[in-house]
Amino acid sequence: MTNEERIQRSNEARRILESTLYQDAWSAVRQQLLDDWAISESVDVREKIFSEFKALECVQQFFSS
């Protein structure tokens, strides 16, 4: 990948992260996971939700990097 392509990808990632739609979606998904985790009664369910939460963070880190 050329430097120009890297810069273009970086700018695109920044636009996505700064997008109101992305921020709203990320916040809503995160809050839903936290709400689901708080009311879960099963260790298996909590572990699944934790994995989903970590995956969500990985997506955020990907765009941030």
Side-chain angles (χ1 to χ4, degrees), residues 12-65:
E12 188 174 345
R14 184 178 299 113
R15 279 193 303 275
I16 291 169
L17 286 173
E18 292 174 354
S19 161
T20 303
L21 179 60
Y22 175 82
Q23 291 175 5
D24 290 349
W26 191 88
S27 294
V29 170
R30 183 180 185 277
Q31 188 60 53
Q32 186 62 54
L33 289 171
L34 291 172
D35 292 347
D36 291 348
W37 183 83
I39 63 170
S40 65
E41 297 179 5
S42 161
V43 172
D44 291 338
V45 171
R46 284 192 296 273
E47 287 179 357
K48 179 182 176 286
I49 293 168
F50 180 77
S51 294
E52 292 171 350
F53 188 80
K54 286 301 188 184
L56 183 64
E57 286 181 343
C58 285
V59 170
Q60 184 81 354
Q61 285 180 326
F62 177 82
F63 282 113
S64 295
S65 66

